[in-house]
Amino acid sequence: MMSSAQRLSDIQLRIRKACEMANRPVESVSLLAVSKTFPAEAVLDLARLGQTAFGENYLQEAEDKITQLADTPECPTLTWHFIGPVQSNKTKSIASMFAWVHSVDRLKIAQRLSSQRPAELAPLNILLQVNTSGEASKSGLNPAEVEEVASTVAKLPNLNLRGLMTIPNPDHGEEDLQREFLMCKSLMDKLNQTGLHLDTLSMGMSQDLETAIACGSTCVRVGTALFGKRDYSNR
């Protein structure tokens, strides 16, 4: 069984090689460790190795971990990202507990996060989730509505619109993956041409991070390759 250090080293090597292949500086891509379903001890193992950014999908589970680790010497500098579906009745807690939200999929959610972000905290960094695969069952803005929503969200107080996120269809082949990633990259480029200053493309996971980096990702969300296979039996 691989250790946390080995897993982290392997992912860092994959990111470095992917950046070299894409002729990009390795520091242009950040690693978000997706710790959903794994205990606080697993987060602590990676924190001790220097990993500081962690992503969570489930609010109650995240709250338990964040609270448990808050007073741990290795963890004061951890940055927590919410990457799961955002329900309207959960926005107040999410706005209070996280530094980033990757999965804003409608204007109403952004407005609630804006109004509920505590005044004493820095603006909440948010990404708009884009449904690049066109799947009816998948969350995310239709690409055609991204510009209008982004323009409105960028004006909301207590938020800092940083970019876009997408989750491609995992069953798609390499060509379709590239198409979806490049669509998201193109959308962000167009938004920046309108005067926005976006710098974050959250694209790519354990199985497709190389393709995502080649297509412009600045943040890869890696869970299984860092923590191992997930057990959803208790959910």
Side-chain angles (χ1 to χ4, degrees):
M1 184 176 178
M2 292 179 66
S3 67
S4 296
Q6 289 173 312
R7 289 180 184 274
L8 180 60
S9 178
D10 283 353
I11 289 298
Q12 291 171 334
L13 179 59
R14 285 177 61 188
I15 292 172
R16 184 163 64 250
K17 287 183 175 179
C19 288
E20 290 172 357
M21 290 291 293
N23 197 28
R24 297 177 56 188
V26 68
E27 60 268 19
S28 68
V29 179
S30 63
L31 172 61
L32 179 62
V34 180
S35 45
K36 67 175 182 179
T37 78
F38 289 95
E41 290 76 14
V43 172
L44 186 56
D45 283 345
L46 285 183
R48 287 170 171 153
L49 295 169
Q51 176 65 28
T52 59
F54 291 87
E56 290 286 333
N57 289 60
Y58 310 114
L59 180 59
Q60 184 58 59
E61 178 189 334
E63 186 172 16
D64 292 344
K65 269 183 258 191
I66 292 170
T67 301
Q68 185 175 344
L69 293 170
D71 297 324
T72 305
E74 294 93 334
C75 296
T77 59
L78 297 190
T79 303
W80 293 95
H81 299 234
F82 192 80
I83 62 175
V86 182
Q87 300 173 354
S88 295
N89 63 342
K90 304 291 179 63
T91 53
K92 184 175 182 180
S93 294
I94 291 171
S96 300
M97 294 169 50
F98 291 86
W100 287 75
V101 179
H102 288 228
S103 44
V104 176
D105 61 355
R106 54 198 187 279
L107 179 58
K108 175 185 175 182
I109 293 298
Q111 291 169 330
R112 290 179 65 88
L113 291 171
S114 171
S115 65
Q116 295 171 334
R117 180 68 168 176
E120 68 272 15
L121 296 180
L124 180 63
N125 297 298
I126 67 165
L127 306 177
L128 300 180
Q129 182 174 351
V130 185
N131 184 351
T132 52
S133 68
E135 298 169 85
S137 61
K138 183 168 286 185
S139 299
L141 294 163
N142 184 301
E145 62 183 338
V146 169
E147 184 173 342
E148 180 179 356
V149 173
S151 176
T152 303
V153 170
K155 299 182 179 76
L156 293 175
N158 307 315
L159 299 182
N160 187 6
L161 178 60
R162 296 291 297 269
L164 305 177
M165 182 272 268
T166 193
I167 304 172
N169 187 325
D171 298 324
H172 281 177
E174 183 71 13
E175 187 174 321
D176 286 327
L177 279 177
Q178 290 179 352
R179 177 186 59 79
E180 292 185 44
F181 287 145
L182 288 173
M183 182 190 302
C184 205
K185 173 67 163 62
S186 177
L187 283 170
M188 192 167 90
D189 289 344
K190 289 178 181 177
L191 291 175
N192 281 333
Q193 289 169 8
T194 70
L196 297 180
H197 301 284
L198 309 182
D199 59 10
T200 303
L201 268 179
S202 177
M203 308 191 304
M205 296 182 278
S206 295
Q207 71 277 13
D208 57 16
L209 67 86
E210 286 85 0
T211 302
I213 290 172
C215 294
S217 174
T218 68
C219 174
V220 291
R221 309 180 304 273
V222 178
T224 303
L226 278 174
F227 294 100
K229 188 176 180 180
R230 289 192 172 88
D231 180 5
Y232 290 98
S233 61
N234 293 323
R235 296 218 61 81

